[in-house]
């Protein structure tokens, strides 16, 4: 109680949160369950009421569940999606009060002190919550009391609203497990004959504290209100956006760039405070006729330096049609990545920054995914000794090594006429008659048996480096198991 107002707490428990989330998107008739691999076994993770009515329960193996209920419909569970769904429910619950926190993985806790009158009282608030969740297809159990512990106990063990005042009278008949105790402590207390919260409250405290620790008494005191317990609301994620409304419309490119520079300074200050960098920036320009145009900038690396980012907007701003004038500018970082503070060197960082800016400028014209680089791969097969990755989403790597020189230009094998294990003295390739002046080899390469590749079904390959009298330096190979000669590359 503070300033004459009794504290009131609401606890929301979603016993079938995961299954309700899935069934909201894809309704299914009959028994339904989500499964999850636990202890090397596929077990039921969450199930709907129809599955519970068939005698199924959480933790049951999926094979046993199908034996009991052949009509069971199942899907793999996604705990991370369930967590995001619970966070979305927390954000929605702020319609009732600003102090909303998470209660484990399947519940919410609301401090509605001084806010119940906005909906016509406690009964009206509880009924409004229940009806809204019922319309949304989400099962919920609601408990309300003076303390967080009492509300939690009521929500998970019967539900109901405890009148303000004596919490022991409201939750005294509930089992000791309603005090948020560990299972082994609850079982031990029941063996001692302390089955309800009232039994525990009347028992001597000192012996219980010595045997079970101070945590047992703390949970009891928190539920009864003799020891305070805070509710920490989940902080909203930072919003990386700035806006500027102009008193007079503007239409010159220089004016738009000046306004963008001011917004960039504010945005980069926010990014620096969170040690983050922007990867995608969106500049929205609102015209006086209420039409809007957007300029999207995708960066090759996360940045928060306004002096480097501003020139990259020039191309997009030049293409904007200002119409009768622009009266509002809004800049938002739509994609953000961590960018911790690092110790940099003036020798190496400058070159890397210029390369990143060049990739960004080229990417704005042809797309960042089309600016690619080669990366080394751990394979002795020529076609698999490298990877092609977008330069904006990869880092240059070292480790290019080969036992013998490899051609700079590599292409699919092209057959040529030849017999025997040694390169032919003369052959025709790409409508050219070539004569070998020098040949070095062979270098035998065996296929990787653990990978299936149609190009290597002919077996071993004996590679030769040949220099022709016409100036061509080619990479030839011979297949002993299926005799034939091929050209696969050309040296610079």
């Amino acid at each position: 109680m503070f300033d004459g107002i009794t504290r009131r707490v609401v606890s929301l428990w979603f016993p079938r949160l995961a299954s309700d989330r899935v069934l909201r998107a894809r309704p299914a008739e009959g028994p339904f369950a989500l499964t999850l691999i636990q202890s090397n076994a596929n077990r039921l993770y969450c199930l709907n009421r129809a599955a519970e009515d068939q005698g199924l329960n959480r933790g049951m193996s999926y094979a046993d569940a199908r034996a009991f209920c052949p009509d069971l419909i199942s899907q793999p569970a996604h705990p991370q999606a369930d967590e995001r769904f619970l966070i979305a429910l927390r954000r929605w619950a702020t319609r009732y009060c600003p102090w909303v926190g998470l209660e484990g993985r399947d519940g919410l806790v609301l401090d509605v002190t001084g806010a119940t009158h906005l909906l016509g009282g406690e009964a009206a608030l509880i009924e409004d919550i229940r009806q809204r969740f019922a319309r949304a297809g989400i099962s919920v159990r609601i408990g309300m009391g003076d303390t967080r512990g009492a509300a939690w106990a009521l929500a998970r063990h019967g539900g109901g609203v405890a009148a303000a005042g004596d919490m022991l009278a409201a939750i005294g008949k509930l089992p000791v497990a309603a005090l948020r105790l560990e299972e082994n402590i609850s079982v031990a207390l029941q063996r001692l004959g302390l089955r309800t919260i009232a039994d525990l409250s009347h028992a001597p405290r000192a012996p219980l504290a010595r045997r079970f620790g101070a945590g047992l008494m703390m949970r009891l005191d928190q539920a009864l209100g003799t020891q305070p317990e805070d509710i920490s609301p989940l902080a909203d994620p930072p919003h990386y956006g700035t806006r500027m409304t102009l008193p007079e419309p503007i239409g010159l490119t220089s004016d738009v760039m000046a306004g963008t520079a001011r917004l960039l300074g504010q945005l980069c200050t926010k990014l620096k405070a969170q040690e983050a960098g922007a990867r995608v920036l969106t500049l929205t320009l609102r015209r006086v006729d209420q039409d809007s145009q957007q300029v999207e900038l995708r960066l090759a690396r996360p940045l928060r330096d306004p002096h480097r980012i501003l020139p990259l907007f020039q191309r997009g701003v030049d293409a904007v049609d200002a119409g009768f004038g622009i009266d509002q500018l809004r800049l938002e970082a739509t994609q953000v990545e961590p960018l911790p503070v690092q110790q940099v060197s003036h020798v190496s960082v400058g070159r890397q920054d210029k390369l990143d800016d060049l990739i960004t400028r080229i990417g704005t014209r042809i797309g960042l995914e089309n600016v690619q680089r080669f990366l080394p791969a751990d394979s002795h097969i020529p076609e698999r000794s490298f990877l092609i990755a977008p330069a904006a989403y990869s880092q240059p790597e070292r480790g290019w090594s080969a036992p013998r020189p490899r051609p700079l230009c590599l292409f699919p094998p092209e057959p040529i006429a030849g017999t025997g294990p040694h390169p032919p003295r003369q052959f025709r390739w790409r409508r050219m008659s070539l004569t070998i002046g020098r040949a070095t080899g062979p270098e035998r390469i065996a296929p990787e048996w653990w990978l299936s590749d149609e190009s290597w079904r002919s077996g071993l390959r004996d590679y030769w480096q040949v220099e022709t009298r016409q100036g061509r330096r080619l990479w030839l190979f011979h297949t002993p198991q299926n005799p034939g000669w091929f050209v696969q590359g050309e040296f610079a």
Side-chain angles (χ1 to χ4, degrees):
M1 180 178 296
F2 54 93
D3 294 338
I5 301 177
T6 303
R7 186 189 190 192
R8 300 296 281 171
V9 179
V10 174
S11 179
L12 305 181
W13 178 42
F14 308 102
R16 288 179 284 272
L17 178 70
S19 60
D20 288 343
R21 177 187 64 82
V22 176
L23 293 176
R24 274 166 48 86
R26 293 183 178 181
E29 299 293 336
F32 175 82
L34 297 176
T35 61
L36 188 66
I37 302 297
Q38 298 175 338
S39 301
N40 297 327
N42 195 18
R43 300 185 180 277
L44 300 188
Y45 175 74
C46 187
L47 52 160
N48 64 353
R49 183 178 294 275
E52 292 177 350
D53 295 339
Q54 295 289 333
L56 308 183
N57 54 73
R58 292 193 179 191
M60 177 184 290
S61 67
Y62 179 66
D64 294 341
R66 288 300 303 269
F68 280 102
C69 183
D71 299 333
L72 179 66
I73 302 174
S74 64
Q75 290 185 16
H78 297 282
Q80 294 181 349
D82 300 335
E83 182 179 355
R84 292 193 297 268
F85 183 57
L86 182 62
I87 293 176
L89 292 178
R90 185 214 68 84
R91 187 168 57 250
W92 171 86
T94 55
R95 63 182 288 117
Y96 297 106
C97 65
W99 292 85
V100 182
L102 300 180
E103 193 74 271
R105 296 184 178 180
D106 55 0
L108 299 175
V109 56
L110 295 74
D111 191 341
V112 296
T113 305
T116 56
H117 68 281
L118 299 176
L119 287 164
E122 296 179 356
L125 182 143
I126 297 298
E127 185 61 24
D128 184 75
I129 294 175
R130 183 177 288 109
Q131 290 182 2
R132 289 181 182 274
F133 278 115
R135 288 195 297 266
I138 302 175
S139 302
V140 63
R141 295 182 183 177
I142 308 174
M144 186 174 188
D146 293 350
T147 64
R148 181 176 182 176
W152 189 96
L154 291 170
R156 286 163 174 76
H157 295 271
V161 178
D166 188 7
M167 288 297 100
L168 182 59
I171 65 174
K173 296 182 179 180
L174 299 181
V176 291
L179 291 176
R180 297 173 290 175
L181 302 177
E182 298 179 3
E183 184 178 359
N184 58 339
I185 296 180
S186 299
V187 173
L189 290 173
Q190 294 179 33
R191 290 176 178 175
L192 294 176
L194 304 176
R195 293 181 172 81
T196 65
I197 296 177
D199 296 338
L200 181 63
S201 64
H202 295 118
R205 299 174 61 93
L208 292 175
R210 285 196 300 268
R211 179 168 180 174
F212 298 102
L216 174 61
M217 295 295 103
M218 180 190 68
R219 287 302 189 189
L220 178 62
D221 294 338
Q222 288 175 345
L224 298 181
T226 57
Q227 182 171 339
E229 183 178 8
D230 295 332
I231 297 177
S232 298
L234 190 65
D236 292 328
H239 175 67
Y240 300 105
T242 56
R243 182 176 60 182
M244 176 189 298
T245 302
L246 304 172
E248 294 291 338
I250 60 175
L252 298 178
T253 301
S254 57
D255 294 337
V256 175
M257 291 297 293
T260 305
R262 182 174 298 182
L263 295 179
L264 266 176
Q266 301 173 9
L267 178 62
C268 290
T269 301
K270 293 183 180 181
L271 292 170
K272 185 176 181 180
Q274 299 292 332
E275 291 192 357
R279 282 299 295 263
V280 180
L281 292 163
T282 302
L283 176 64
T284 304
L285 307 174
R286 191 187 69 181
R287 304 192 310 193
V288 294
D289 58 0
Q290 301 304 311
D291 188 18
S292 298
Q293 297 192 26
Q294 289 187 341
V295 178
E296 185 181 70
L297 179 63
R298 303 175 64 191
L299 301 173
R301 289 288 179 272
L303 290 179
R304 58 169 178 256
D305 185 357
H307 302 290
R308 289 181 56 192
I309 299 176
L310 181 61
L312 303 176
F313 269 111
Q314 186 68 50
R315 175 181 172 82
V317 172
D318 289 340
V320 170
D321 180 11
F324 293 102
I326 297 171
D327 62 357
Q328 186 184 89
L329 287 77
R330 186 171 69 250
L331 181 63
E332 183 180 5
T334 56
Q335 183 177 342
V336 177
E337 295 182 4
L339 185 61
V341 178
Q342 297 179 352
Q343 182 68 36
V344 297
S345 169
H346 67 282
V347 177
S348 59
V349 173
R351 298 178 180 177
Q352 183 64 35
D353 292 346
K354 293 181 180 179
L355 177 60
D356 294 340
D357 294 346
L358 176 62
I359 294 174
T360 300
R361 292 180 184 276
I362 298 176
T364 56
R365 292 171 171 82
I366 65 174
L368 284 178
E369 293 79 5
N370 297 322
V371 182
Q372 300 175 336
R373 63 158 51 100
F374 290 94
L375 301 176
D378 187 13
S379 177
H380 60 272
I381 301 298
E383 302 93 316
R384 297 177 181 158
S385 60
F386 62 90
L387 300 173
I388 300 178
Y393 305 103
S394 61
Q395 294 287 347
E397 297 182 9
R398 299 181 179 180
W400 292 96
S401 62
R404 296 188 182 183
R406 293 288 184 260
L408 183 63
C409 180
L410 197 67
F411 43 80
E414 300 176 0
I416 60 174
T419 59
H422 294 87
R425 294 183 57 85
Q426 293 183 348
F427 61 93
R428 190 171 182 82
W429 175 66
R430 293 184 178 180
R431 299 182 181 181
M432 294 183 293
S433 296
L434 302 176
T435 302
I436 295 180
R438 180 181 178 183
T440 305
E443 176 190 359
R444 173 161 290 185
I445 298 179
E448 296 172 340
W449 56 266
W450 57 91
L451 296 176
S452 177
D453 191 342
E454 292 290 338
S455 302
W456 283 78
R457 291 193 178 278
S458 57
L460 303 173
R461 292 182 181 180
D462 291 335
Y463 281 88
W464 293 77
Q465 302 177 40
V466 300
E467 298 180 6
T468 64
R469 298 185 184 277
Q470 290 76 19
R472 296 278 184 170
R473 300 176 65 241
L474 303 177
W475 207 35
L476 280 63
F477 71 84
H478 176 251
T479 54
Q481 297 176 352
N482 188 13
W485 280 94
F486 301 85
V487 180
Q488 192 179 3
E490 185 173 6
F491 294 89

